[in-house]
Amino acid sequence: MPAQRRKITYRPRNIPCTSPGCLLKFSTVSGLKRHLNTHTTPGSHSRPGSPHQLDNLDDGIHTPPPQLNTPGLSVLGESTPRSPSLVPPLASQSSTVEDTRQHEHLDDIPNHANHDTSSETSPHILKHPYLDGTPCDADGYDLEPTNPRPVHEPVADYKPFNNRTEFELADFFYREAQLSGKKLDKLMDLLAAYYGDDIPPPFANSHDLHNAIDAISAGEVPWQSFTISYSGTKPAANVPQWMEDEYTVWYRCPRQLLINQIGNRSFAQEMDWAPKRVYRRGLKREYEDFMSGNWAWEEADRIAVDPSTHGAALCPVILGSDKTTVSVATGQNEYYPAYISNGMVSNGARRAHRDAVSLFAFLAIPKTDRQHETDPLFRKFRRQLFHTALHHILEPLRCGMETPEVVRCADDNYRRIVWSLGPYIADYPEQVLLSGIVQGWCPRCTAPSSNLDGDGYGRRSHIHTNTLLKAFDTKTLWDDYGIVSDIVPFTVGFPRADIHQLLAPDLLHQVIKGTFKDHLVTWLEEYLVLEHGKAGAAVIMADIDRRIAAVPNFPGLRRFPQGRGFKQWTGDDSKALMKVWLPAIAGHVPGQMVRAFAAFLEFCYLVRCDVINEDTLTEIDNALSRYHKERTIFETAGVRMDGFSLPRQHSLKHYCHVIQQFGAPNGLCSSITESKHIKAVKQPWRRSNRYKALGQMLLAAVRVKFDTHDMLDTPAVPLHMGHSEGDDARAVNPSAEDEDGEAVDGDIEAEVLLSKTPVRKVPRDVCGLAEYLSVPRLEEFMRRFLFEQLHPDNDPLAVSLNDCPPIMSKVYLYPSASAMFCAPSDHSGVQGMRRERIRSVMEWHGGDPRHDCVFLTKDTRLPGFRGLYVVRVHAFLSFKWCQTMYPCALVSWFLPIGDSPCSDTGMWMVRPEYERGTGARVMSVVHTDSMVHGAHLIGMAGREYLPSNISHTDSLDIFRGFYVNKYADHHSHTIAY
């Protein structure tokens, strides 16, 4: 007889985990118990140890290493009351030398400024004494500290949806699953057939769903439009079409969008209500979020000249635009999107795309035929249309730039907000357009295009430009000063705004795609052709490709199976290639060329840090100096005979200054707007009916609105009690474990946890598992590990194996472990948290084995790699002893090569450790608590050519030495320097 289907009763996932910080929910009590038993290890501590490494300790005793902790920042408090007799300090004139450090010390701070001096590792935070964001009532009067905070009004319903479930379904169908119209229609037909005539499907068809989405109004700002046309002198005959056309600009009110962002309660702990100065470690200045930079403080000084603004909150308006892929959204190249954010929100929230960045306009791009493309009149009109449109769209903010307006904030308090135009995120071509300069010149300083790397040139400004406009003719301005005389920037006329000072650093186009991809990689290929001819260069480049293809897997690291020979590079391609480039070229090019790449990568990773202090600024300067020194090899080798007067490379000289002005650059990078464009425009358009294709943005807005009013905190399904204790297979989400790395929310210390489900159909006893893993000494390793845990003051290798306790319980094998840690410079959640999965499996996706490498804590008192071990994980295990669960791992060890990094690549080098006599790999069992983070090793090929049949899965087995890749991600760069 055919097998009968076993009907499974539906059980909602509504039993929350009781562990602090865990957000998982379970369908049964037994599923929750298994989760708690697996991931709770009371009283267990670990220390890594290699039998041979124990001999290297001075005292012969292996002591447990301290746990790796990430120090947290203290929360800003409310400022002290202001004295009305105090006169606010005026902003000092900016120096023309941009690398001048401004060291503000605590001794120089007035008594009325706030600061916390609790400890050396805690931040000392000074808030602006006048624009300190004092809470007020709805009428703008300051509140006393004892006054109760206003209570937000609850949303009455889920309109335009009938209920919570209907909204969740629409959100899942359209935004998460991204179902096409045809698939939605088929799904609704299937649901109608399944439930019969008595229960209709949630939506009649895809059109019904799109109509519901288009009807969303909660949290959304309506779109408006205006038209711009040419109004100048026209020729008597043969008038060009562009002079007759009207150009429509679509936009949303920027003021209301900013008010929505400021009032988003999910950002309540991610907002700075006042400019601040942060000091740490010997009172050294730190730069992180935008409000920690000098620009916000100096802007507050300028505003505070008016005593009526005291107690208000400064809201910098951050703008950005990107026209590269707009044709996907509009079907033509007639518009391109512009985005708006606010400087109060943290960099992490802005990078996490949690509605801290909003699409606010589609700007028009005039088109004409080839006959008029080079017409100076048309080119002027096209440039000025851009500025005119932006100026008109931002006009609603003007009134609030001088007179504060009362706005309800994310923490439910009212504050008096003062708007100010802040940084503009744009790539170099758009910076040229924004600043009204000639292509090839710097939009920030007056260095001539022929000598951009020269010294002694001052900064550009509206005042400087206006002075030159009065003194020189158009041709002189163009040729000698790089100024387009007939362009009026959109910032002219807005209070305190100067576009030359507001151009944000562009990590993506200036550093990653510009200097690395467009310049350095191209120059290297040209060098190989000059040195070895086309045929010889092709052979070397083919080997470089094989080296790149042989790089082992690592969480979040894109692989290049065919090397770097792809036709069109994206920003993600460049970022991924940067991480593996140095080992690939080492041995094929001169050491000076490798050092040039290494110095540039060091600069790149330093400026992309989430927190930058005064020491980091010095390191950035040093890395840039080394790069400028080492890159001269491209000049002497005949690749760059004309020198290095390149705008994107010249912009690197300004980075220390803009970091001091705007905080860490990763909060203002154009990759934020490009990513927003994909999610806000391109993806919804592809799934929509091509009419009002703003569905994903609207769904996101209404979800934020519901979440803000605590309408999505409880499960969407009814809460049922009395679940059975039976086995629940749905307590495991296998798809979640398929991802190697992901951004997560949370604010916990670093931890490594075994995967939720052990490997099935493998032996559970230690002897059977030893045979399955082909590790005959597994029982010995585990017994010595257990002895070490029970007797941490004794050397487990100094006792007989008979004195080590036997492993009596079941031993479980796991396919992976997840490392959760704070890595705000990488792709992470709002609080900077990231989770990466460390794999150890016999078959990876049905193919070869995969055994990842990790860092273990060695000595937290030693800096960087000197305080770490590198091991390779051969199995993740767990077992019980006296009711205590011990999560652990079978690992093999690596030894460092030398006592310093490689002089060319700047990377540490390691080699596998072997037992004396037998030649077997040194192995042992360590506790997962000793694991810090995944380690990425890349084989050292030197001058040898790799065989064409080498696989990345064999890489960790065939090389005799490895580079410890500190560029695998920013967290590796921080801990493996």
Side-chain angles (χ1 to χ4, degrees):
M1 293 180 63
Q4 297 294 319
R5 175 194 173 191
R6 178 188 173 191
K7 182 68 175 177
I8 299 177
T9 304
Y10 169 74
R11 292 170 180 162
R13 238 180 240 265
N14 52 21
I15 302 178
C17 178
T18 55
S19 297
C22 183
L23 303 179
L24 295 178
K25 292 185 173 67
F26 300 88
S27 298
T28 65
V29 175
S30 61
L32 172 61
K33 287 182 177 179
R34 285 196 304 276
H35 167 73
L36 294 175
N37 290 337
T38 301
H39 299 298
T40 304
T41 56
S44 62
H45 299 282
S46 68
R47 60 168 180 81
S50 161
H52 288 187
Q53 289 164 326
L54 291 174
D55 299 335
N56 297 330
L57 296 180
D58 294 338
D59 56 5
I61 299 176
H62 211 169
T63 56
Q67 294 296 313
L68 180 70
N69 294 326
T70 303
L73 300 178
S74 63
V75 180
L76 276 69
E78 294 294 331
S79 63
T80 54
R82 298 173 308 281
S83 170
S85 62
L86 292 175
V87 178
L90 297 178
S92 60
Q93 294 296 322
S94 299
S95 171
T96 58
V97 182
E98 294 197 342
D99 60 355
T100 300
R101 302 283 187 263
Q102 296 181 5
H103 299 281
E104 301 88 350
H105 296 286
L106 290 179
D107 293 338
D108 300 326
I109 302 301
N111 292 331
H112 56 262
N114 292 341
H115 59 275
D116 173 21
T117 58
S118 57
S119 71
E120 181 66 15
T121 58
S122 297
H124 308 275
I125 301 175
L126 312 179
K127 291 171 58 178
H128 196 274
Y130 302 104
L131 266 69
D132 58 2
T134 300
C136 64
D137 58 24
D139 296 321
Y141 294 100
D142 287 357
L143 291 177
E144 296 295 332
T146 56
N147 285 12
R149 188 174 64 180
V151 180
H152 66 277
E153 301 87 357
V155 175
D157 52 41
Y158 292 89
K159 288 181 179 180
F161 302 96
N162 293 322
N163 49 54
R164 158 83 178 275
T165 304
E166 189 174 290
F167 161 71
E168 294 278 12
L169 281 171
D171 187 51
F172 175 76
F173 291 154
Y174 192 79
R175 189 177 61 86
E176 294 189 37
Q178 301 184 8
L179 296 180
S180 65
K182 290 183 179 180
K183 290 182 178 180
L184 277 168
D185 291 340
K186 183 175 181 179
L187 178 60
M188 294 305 109
D189 291 340
L190 291 173
L191 290 176
Y194 183 82
Y195 288 111
D197 297 335
D198 296 335
I199 303 177
F203 301 98
N205 49 40
S206 60
H207 295 291
D208 186 29
L209 173 62
H210 291 146
N211 290 336
I213 293 173
D214 289 340
I216 292 175
S217 60
E220 185 55 26
V221 180
W223 286 89
Q224 309 171 59
S225 67
F226 60 87
T227 59
I228 300 177
S229 60
Y230 177 74
S231 59
T233 304
K234 300 179 183 179
N238 299 324
V239 179
Q241 187 61 40
W242 66 266
M243 291 185 177
E244 302 289 347
D245 289 341
E246 291 187 343
Y247 302 93
T248 304
V249 176
W250 288 90
Y251 73 100
R252 297 190 290 173
C253 177
R255 174 181 168 275
Q256 191 57 51
L257 287 171
L258 291 169
I259 289 175
N260 287 0
Q261 290 178 6
I262 295 173
N264 187 341
R265 290 181 65 233
S266 62
F267 296 146
Q269 303 301 318
E270 300 295 325
M271 304 282 282
D272 287 314
W273 305 115
K276 62 183 180 181
R277 288 172 175 168
V278 183
Y279 300 83
R280 197 196 304 262
R281 295 181 178 88
L283 304 185
K284 292 182 179 180
R285 181 81 178 270
E286 279 190 353
Y287 304 90
E288 183 178 2
D289 298 323
F290 180 80
M291 298 297 274
S292 67
N294 291 333
W295 183 91
W297 191 284
E298 293 168 358
E299 184 74 353
D301 285 347
R302 289 186 282 267
I303 294 171
V305 171
D306 180 0
S308 67
T309 63
H310 293 185
L314 168 65
C315 179
V317 180
I318 297 175
L319 304 173
S321 55
D322 169 29
K323 65 179 185 299
T324 55
T325 55
V326 70
S327 58
V328 175
T330 62
Q332 54 188 327
N333 288 321
E334 195 171 353
Y335 304 100
Y336 70 92
Y339 300 90
I340 193 168
S341 182
N342 70 87
M344 290 177 162
V345 73
S346 69
N347 285 353
R350 192 178 299 110
R351 289 195 310 271
H353 307 295
R354 301 295 178 84
D355 299 282
V357 181
S358 303
L359 176 66
F360 84 104
F362 281 103
L363 305 174
I365 305 177
K367 297 291 183 181
T368 187
D369 53 36
R370 292 189 178 182
Q371 178 182 354
H372 298 95
E373 280 182 347
T374 58
D375 183 354
L377 201 59
F378 171 73
R379 296 173 66 180
K380 173 187 176 182
F381 172 74
R382 184 173 57 185
R383 294 191 194 101
Q384 196 58 60
L385 184 146
F386 176 88
H387 289 277
T388 302
L390 276 178
H391 191 93
H392 181 80
I393 294 171
L394 297 172
E395 191 63 30
L397 295 172
R398 179 187 298 276
C399 182
M401 291 180 176
E402 297 178 315
T403 303
E405 60 175 300
V406 179
V407 175
R408 188 166 211 161
C409 301
D411 59 355
D412 289 331
N413 283 310
Y414 288 99
R415 286 180 177 85
R416 297 184 299 130
I417 301 294
V418 179
W419 314 110
S420 281
L421 290 186
Y424 198 110
I425 304 172
D427 58 14
Y428 178 71
E430 285 189 87
Q431 290 184 358
V432 169
L433 173 62
L434 286 161
S435 56
I437 66 165
V438 178
Q439 189 83 16
W441 291 70
C442 176
R444 296 191 63 91
C445 74
T446 60
S449 60
S450 59
N451 186 27
L452 287 174
D453 285 340
D455 297 324
Y457 298 103
R459 300 177 193 165
R460 291 187 184 271
S461 66
H462 286 337
I463 296 175
H464 178 258
T465 300
N466 289 335
T467 303
L468 294 176
L469 287 173
K470 296 175 182 178
F472 299 104
D473 57 57
T474 299
K475 186 177 186 305
T476 302
L477 291 169
W478 182 286
D479 294 338
D480 297 343
Y481 297 96
I483 295 175
V484 182
S485 59
D486 51 6
I487 296 300
V488 181
F490 77 94
T491 50
V492 173
F494 284 108
R496 307 176 302 276
D498 189 327
I499 189 58
H500 301 291
Q501 301 173 12
L502 299 179
L503 294 175
D506 185 8
L507 293 172
L508 179 62
H509 295 94
Q510 292 172 344
V511 179
I512 299 168
K513 293 177 67 175
T515 303
F516 176 72
K517 175 253 180 180
D518 292 341
H519 294 161
L520 290 176
V521 174
T522 302
W523 296 349
L524 182 141
E525 295 180 5
E526 293 176 1
Y527 163 79
L528 291 176
V529 172
L530 289 174
E531 186 72 13
H532 303 281
K534 288 186 178 180
V539 173
I540 294 176
M541 290 307 301
D543 188 64
I544 291 175
D545 287 344
R546 286 193 292 271
R547 294 183 181 189
I548 294 173
V551 169
N553 289 309
F554 189 77
L557 179 64
R558 174 183 169 179
R559 290 199 60 256
F560 298 97
Q562 305 303 322
R564 31 122 320 267
F566 37 87
K567 293 183 179 179
Q568 182 168 349
W569 287 38
T570 65
D572 290 338
D573 294 332
S574 299
K575 290 178 185 177
L577 196 60
M578 291 171 71
K579 299 176 180 181
V580 300
W581 185 252
L582 283 179
I585 65 173
H588 281 314
V589 298
Q592 184 178 350
M593 197 169 291
V594 178
R595 292 194 298 272
F597 274 96
F600 171 74
L601 290 179
E602 194 68 16
F603 172 87
C604 178
Y605 272 69
L606 289 171
V607 297
R608 293 166 66 192
C609 287
D610 187 63
V611 179
I612 298 175
N613 58 29
E614 293 178 6
D615 291 338
T616 313
L617 291 174
T618 301
E619 293 177 19
I620 291 171
D621 279 339
N622 293 337
L624 188 59
S625 297
R626 293 198 307 272
Y627 169 64
H628 285 163
K629 174 185 175 183
E630 304 293 354
R631 73 176 178 180
T632 55
I633 189 174
F634 293 107
E635 190 173 23
T636 58
V639 177
R640 290 297 304 174
M641 299 297 292
D642 296 331
F644 305 95
S645 188
L646 303 164
R648 283 179 291 183
Q649 291 211 28
H650 164 74
S651 68
L652 308 184
K653 297 181 63 175
H654 295 298
Y655 265 64
C656 282
H657 172 70
V658 295
I659 288 169
Q660 291 174 298
Q661 290 295 99
F662 300 145
N666 63 6
L668 298 173
C669 182
S670 58
S671 59
I672 296 175
T673 56
E674 288 195 359
S675 299
K676 187 70 176 181
H677 180 60
I678 293 172
K679 293 186 177 183
V681 180
K682 184 161 63 174
Q683 290 178 352
W685 173 264
R686 287 173 175 170
R687 299 192 314 277
S688 73
N689 56 7
R690 306 305 195 266
Y691 177 69
K692 295 183 179 180
L694 303 172
Q696 187 165 347
M697 291 182 298
L698 302 183
L699 275 171
V702 76
R703 171 170 282 279
V704 169
K705 183 77 170 184
F706 294 158
D707 185 59
T708 296
H709 291 84
D710 303 327
M711 298 174 67
L712 303 179
D713 287 347
T714 57
V717 295
L719 184 64
H720 298 296
M721 302 302 292
H723 295 297
S724 69
E725 298 290 331
D727 196 22
D728 182 12
R730 292 180 297 112
V732 178
N733 181 11
S735 62
E737 297 189 7
D738 289 339
E739 296 296 332
D740 276 348
E742 61 179 340
V744 293
D745 288 338
D747 189 14
I748 65 173
E749 297 177 356
E751 63 176 0
V752 176
L753 300 176
L754 297 179
S755 57
K756 291 180 284 188
T757 307
V759 179
R760 297 184 175 91
K761 300 181 180 179
V762 298
R764 299 293 194 217
D765 63 290
V766 64
C767 295
L769 194 57
E771 182 178 357
Y772 175 79
L773 295 174
S774 300
V775 183
R777 297 175 60 188
L778 178 64
E779 181 180 9
E780 174 191 346
F781 296 147
M782 294 186 65
R783 291 178 67 179
R784 293 193 184 278
F785 163 76
L786 182 57
F787 177 88
E788 190 178 24
Q789 298 298 307
L790 300 177
H791 307 282
D793 295 330
N794 295 334
D795 182 0
L797 297 179
V799 300
S800 169
L801 184 61
N802 294 329
D803 294 331
C804 298
I807 307 299
M808 306 297 295
S809 68
K810 291 182 178 181
V811 181
Y812 293 91
L813 176 69
Y814 296 84
S816 66
S818 62
M820 187 173 176
F821 48 88
C822 184
S825 294
D826 297 303
H827 177 55
S828 56
V830 172
Q831 288 81 22
M833 298 303 297
R834 176 171 175 79
R835 179 188 293 119
E836 290 183 354
R837 194 160 292 279
I838 306 164
R839 306 280 182 179
S840 183
V841 292
M842 305 295 286
E843 292 184 358
W844 177 241
H845 288 302
D848 296 321
R850 175 176 172 180
H851 299 287
D852 292 345
C853 297
V854 297
F855 292 115
L856 300 184
T857 302
K858 177 182 179 181
D859 187 346
T860 56
R861 296 168 297 180
L862 297 177
F865 181 76
R866 290 180 172 86
L868 300 171
Y869 295 116
V870 174
V871 299
R872 188 180 184 188
V873 180
H874 293 271
F876 286 107
L877 309 166
S878 74
F879 65 94
K880 276 189 177 182
W881 176 266
C882 296
Q883 304 305 312
T884 297
M885 182 69 72
Y886 289 93
C888 53
L890 174 68
V891 302
S892 60
W893 295 80
F894 292 86
L895 291 175
I897 301 176
D899 56 1
S900 61
C902 171
S903 59
D904 289 338
T905 64
M907 296 181 181
W908 285 90
M909 300 170 289
V910 296
R911 60 177 177 85
E913 184 181 9
Y914 298 97
E915 292 184 352
R916 299 170 184 173
T918 65
R921 291 291 303 270
V922 172
M923 303 183 76
S924 61
V925 173
V926 300
H927 203 293
T928 57
D929 283 353
S930 64
M931 295 182 178
V932 178
H933 179 256
H936 192 222
L937 304 185
I938 302 179
M940 298 166 55
R943 297 181 180 275
E944 298 181 9
Y945 288 76
L946 297 186
S948 57
N949 60 348
I950 190 173
S951 171
H952 70 285
T953 58
D954 302 326
S955 183
L956 292 172
D957 297 312
I958 63 176
F959 285 96
R960 295 187 295 271
F962 299 88
Y963 291 108
V964 180
N965 185 11
K966 66 176 181 178
Y967 299 117
D969 55 30
H970 287 275
H971 195 245
S972 296
H973 184 263
T974 302
I975 65 177
Y977 60 90

